[in-house]
Amino acid sequence: MRRNKWSAGLLILLITLIWGYAWVFMKASLNFMGPFTFSAFRFGTGTATLLIAVWLLKSGKPPRSMWKHLIVVGVLQTTIVFTFVMYGMQFVDAGKSSVLLYSMPLWSSIFAVKILGEKITPGKVLGLAVGMAGLITILGWDIFFVQDPAIIFGEMLIIVAAVSWAGANVYYRMKLEGMTQLQVSAYQMLFGTLGIFIATLFAEWGGPVKLNGESIFYILFTGVLASALCFTVWFVLLSVIDMITATLSTLLVPVFGLFFGWLILDEELTASILIGSVMIIAGIGVAQVIGKEKAEPKSDAESG
């Protein structure tokens, strides 16, 4: 994959499409159960799927010295991100929620430059700027004016989730890059899911849960495809391409999320959303075409 950039590009397109579609199911799941309960079902399913894969492929357990690092990534990428996102989605549309979470490339790029010492080329700076301007355009100027406090609270939770995901990306590159991606995905999700279960016990114990064909499908799609498959592929991508390029490409997710939210949930698709989506795609194109110079991380001695 390091030599064939097309394969990396196809994998990015695959996971962004699945993640974009998953936002519709995440929002719809709130009609059947609480946000923490759904996350517990989703990541419990994802964890079971990955652990079965680890067993079938005889990948083995990670070294005990790596467990603390897996716990950190699990808490940052699974527990915090998806408890905060699912709770925030009670107040924010699915499409707009995906836009807020995928401010993650901005934070990841800042962390990658400041902590990992990756070089960011002028082309990537321009692409990132255009893409983030597209996000702001989609959100609309209403974010600068007074809104319903519940909406602001929900939006802030999702932005915190975006920063947490960016932190997980950097921590993975610093501490876990030598492990197999399947091991990392399985065990970080295991530890992160334990955190979600604890949050569910405190926040939603005894709450209503409606399990039927529709809600089970939402759990399986988001658990097996959007979680187990996509996060494994994500760690593979972080290992073979620089983090700025990888995270910038995920700006496609809110474009898909907005489109599917409009198509399936009848969420409003305004002119600002359409213009912003075009800007996001343009930003990705600029970064990939103009910003081709590969980022180089610091040496171990430099990064401490």
Side-chain angles (χ1 to χ4, degrees), residues 27-42:
K27 182 70 173 183
S29 72
L30 297 176
N31 296 320
F32 299 94
M33 62 194 77
F36 295 169
T37 302
F38 175 76
S39 295
F41 275 120
R42 170 187 176 176

Side-chain angles (χ1 to χ4, degrees), residues 39-236:
S39 295
F41 275 120
R42 170 187 176 176
F43 287 99
T45 301
T47 299
T49 302
L50 286 171
L51 290 177
I52 290 171
V54 167
W55 176 66
L56 290 174
L57 296 174
K58 299 180 179 179
S59 296
K61 293 181 181 179
R64 285 193 175 273
S65 61
M66 292 294 169
W67 282 30
K68 60 184 178 183
H69 302 310
L70 289 164
I71 290 171
V72 171
V73 173
V75 170
L76 289 175
Q77 181 160 309
T78 298
T79 305
I80 293 177
V81 171
F82 289 97
T83 52
F84 281 32
V85 164
M86 289 301 299
Y87 194 82
M89 283 182 73
Q90 296 178 106
F91 316 108
V92 184
D93 285 348
K96 191 168 281 191
S97 297
S98 68
V99 171
L100 287 168
L101 182 62
Y102 285 89
S103 64
M104 177 271 289
L106 172 62
W107 314 112
S108 286
S109 298
I110 293 171
F111 293 162
V113 172
K114 296 294 185 181
I115 299 174
L116 299 179
E118 288 191 0
K119 295 179 181 178
I120 183 166
T121 64
K124 286 180 180 175
V125 171
L126 178 60
L128 183 64
V130 172
M132 295 308 296
L135 289 178
I136 300 230
T137 302
I138 289 173
L139 281 172
W141 292 106
D142 59 307
I143 62 173
F144 298 109
F145 299 97
V146 176
Q147 297 185 61
D148 182 337
I151 295 175
I152 295 174
F153 175 67
E155 291 175 347
M156 292 305 298
L157 283 179
I158 297 169
I159 291 171
V160 171
V163 176
S164 183
W165 187 1
N169 292 336
V170 171
Y171 197 87
Y172 166 77
R173 290 288 294 271
M174 291 174 63
K175 302 294 185 180
L176 293 169
E177 204 170 8
M179 294 180 58
T180 67
Q181 286 75 40
L182 181 59
Q183 278 185 326
V184 172
S185 190
Y187 285 92
Q188 71 82 19
M189 195 173 293
L190 171 64
F191 293 126
T193 301
L194 290 175
I196 292 175
F197 273 114
I198 292 170
T200 303
L201 289 175
F202 279 99
E204 294 177 357
W205 177 256
V209 177
K210 185 177 180 182
L211 291 176
N212 55 25
E214 185 177 355
S215 62
I216 290 172
F217 174 74
Y218 296 159
I219 291 168
L220 290 176
F221 183 95
T222 57
V224 177
L225 292 181
S227 300
L229 173 65
C230 287
F231 278 111
T232 301
V233 173
W234 175 247
F235 286 120
V236 171

